[in-house]
Amino acid sequence: MKDPVFHSVLPSAPWMVPAQRRLPGVQPLDMAEWLLVDEAYAGQMALRDRLVSGRRDDVLADTPGSEAAQGEVLETVLDHLPQGFRRDGARVTRPDGVSVDLYGDTPLAVAGRLVQDDLCVLERPEDGAEHLLSAAILCFPASWTLAEKIGRPLTSIHVPVASYTDDLGMRVQRMFDMIRPGRPLWRQNALLYADPALFQPRPEAEPRVEPATRPDYLRSERQCLLRLPRTGAILFSIHTYVLPFAALTGAQAAALEDHPVDYAGRGL
């Protein structure tokens, strides 16, 4: 699972967008631009298939009662697949030519084998102060493990992210409560990694050590938040880019040097 899958370009550099330099840094998203198919699709999807098959317990988890939301996730993904997919009855052929049986696995597993994005479902109990991570397919964790986060509330999920303060946690929860169907949000982070592997689970007790010098790779997550209209759950999707630092444009590299503290270790 260590084979790197690289992007050739970073379409959007968050450190060059003023609105994204302030946490939580969210912006409105057009649903037509939610799911992407890019140059890393074939390589990332082949890795996702291997992980779902060979490391299922590491990449798929859910809690009792989340079944309706998981089903709605698959429906939403199918309704918004971009160009390049072909549906024939109970099967969808991906842009890489792989055919996926829509009833051959759980809805969340099927959805996670169609798109590059990791898909996390967050639901707020009637008596709860925060949304909980109720289900997820997480093939490309950036130094966290699904087993430790499933069933936990937002504040606990973000342990040990130093920038996720109590004040930020309250702001994020208010934002979650205000998200409306059809009006999604998105943000993007940037992380500097010495290891370009996409599958990088790491327990909370062994946090990633920040590099003392600039490493060779940039990892960036395009994170989208949308409310599912029927169940009211929040779907948090993560589209991961990994590319050599040398693949950044000259302008991107120069601007990143101006914001090393803001972006060298941000993992929200």
Side-chain angles (χ1 to χ4, degrees), residues 65 81 87 143 163 183 219 239-240 249:
L81 288 175
R87 182 168 182 176
S143 301
S163 59
R183 301 181 66 180
R219 183 180 182 120
H239 187 105
T240 301
T249 67

Side-chain angles (χ1 to χ4, degrees), residues 27-215:
Q27 300 178 89
L29 173 71
D30 184 339
M31 279 298 293
E33 299 175 355
W34 169 39
L35 296 173
L36 306 175
V37 172
D38 59 34
E39 73 275 17
Y41 182 88
Q44 286 196 353
M45 296 312 298
L47 176 56
R48 296 180 73 83
D49 288 344
R50 294 197 299 273
L51 287 166
V52 171
S53 174
R55 300 287 296 269
R56 187 181 183 88
D57 290 343
D58 294 323
V59 302
L60 275 162
D62 61 13
T63 60
S66 64
E67 293 82 7
Q70 294 181 58
E72 193 174 9
V73 168
L74 177 56
E75 294 171 14
T76 304
V77 166
L78 291 173
D79 286 344
H80 292 88
L81 288 175
Q83 290 185 349
F85 291 84
R86 185 176 71 256
R87 182 168 182 176
D88 183 11
R91 304 194 72 87
V92 170
T93 301
R94 303 186 318 208
D96 61 354
V98 173
S99 178
V100 177
D101 182 353
L102 297 181
Y103 301 101
D105 207 331
T106 66
L108 203 56
V110 171
R113 290 193 57 228
L114 292 174
V115 296
Q116 290 172 258
D117 301 54
D118 284 320
L119 304 167
C120 301
V121 180
L122 297 112
E123 299 180 87
R124 184 172 184 175
E126 292 184 4
D127 58 349
E130 294 183 275
H131 280 73
L132 310 177
L133 180 63
S134 63
I137 177 164
L138 180 75
C139 294
F140 304 152
S143 301
W144 60 287
T145 61
L146 184 54
E148 286 187 322
K149 308 297 185 180
I150 194 69
R152 290 168 60 176
L154 282 169
T155 301
S156 180
I157 287 171
H158 284 89
V159 172
V161 180
S163 59
Y164 201 88
T165 61
D166 290 343
D167 176 68
L168 179 59
M170 289 188 292
R171 284 191 284 147
V172 170
Q173 182 55 60
R174 287 196 297 269
M175 177 185 68
F176 270 47
D177 290 338
M178 294 176 63
I179 297 174
R180 297 291 177 261
R183 301 181 66 180
L185 302 171
W186 79 286
R187 69 179 300 274
Q188 191 165 339
N189 67 12
L191 302 158
L192 299 180
Y193 267 65
D195 183 351
L198 282 160
F199 181 63
Q200 292 204 42
R202 183 178 293 276
E204 291 177 3
E206 300 175 13
R208 186 172 72 98
V209 177
E210 298 297 340
T213 58
R214 194 200 77 196

